[in-house]
Amino acid sequence: QVQLVESGGGLVQAGGSLRLSCAASGRNFNSLAMGWFRQAPGKEREFVAAMGSVGRTLYADSVKGRFTISRDNAKNTVLLQMNSLKPEDTAVYYCASRANVWAATGSSMYDYWGQGTQVTVSS
């Protein structure tokens, strides 16, 4: 089993930045691919970014150039740096893991999920 705990959400004005953090425990973090998803009210959960255990990254088109995913294997942590935030980025952001070296965009490809952290971007 893998336990995931997100932190770093909050309220920010449009154009601002936030950094989300996800701490993982329970399994060799180096063997996990990690992803970020988000869900806005009334909408389905959608892919945001992911990073494989070997470093390859994937991004949703809507966040390319604004968000950056990174990982610190020594601290069992994955980060999501979010810059130039827009009101449409408002959502609950979830961290997820999969026991695979490769990142993936489909939520069904991930085995474990965190509880989520709220990000609200005001206009």
Side-chain angles (χ1 to χ4, degrees), residues 4-9 20-23 36 93-96 113-117:
L4 303 171
V5 179
E6 302 99 333
S7 60
L20 304 184
S21 179
C22 174
W36 287 97
Y93 283 70
Y94 297 91
C95 172
W113 295 80
Q115 82 288 351
T117 185

Side-chain angles (χ1 to χ4, degrees), residues 30-92:
N30 293 358
S31 68
L32 300 175
M34 302 297 296
W36 287 97
F37 292 77
R38 67 187 181 187
Q39 187 167 18
K43 295 187 176 181
E44 293 187 353
R45 189 171 297 188
E46 65 174 2
F47 170 75
V48 176
M51 191 170 194
S53 64
V54 295
R56 182 182 177 187
T57 57
L58 299 171
Y59 293 95
D61 288 343
S62 59
V63 307
K64 278 182 182 176
R66 300 189 298 123
F67 291 12
T68 302
I69 188 171
S70 62
R71 62 192 294 159
D72 186 339
N73 288 341
K75 296 181 179 179
N76 290 0
T77 299
V78 61
L79 304 174
L80 185 68
Q81 178 66 43
M82 306 186 295
N83 299 328
S84 303
L85 282 161
K86 305 175 181 180
E88 52 264 41
D89 294 318
T90 295
V92 177

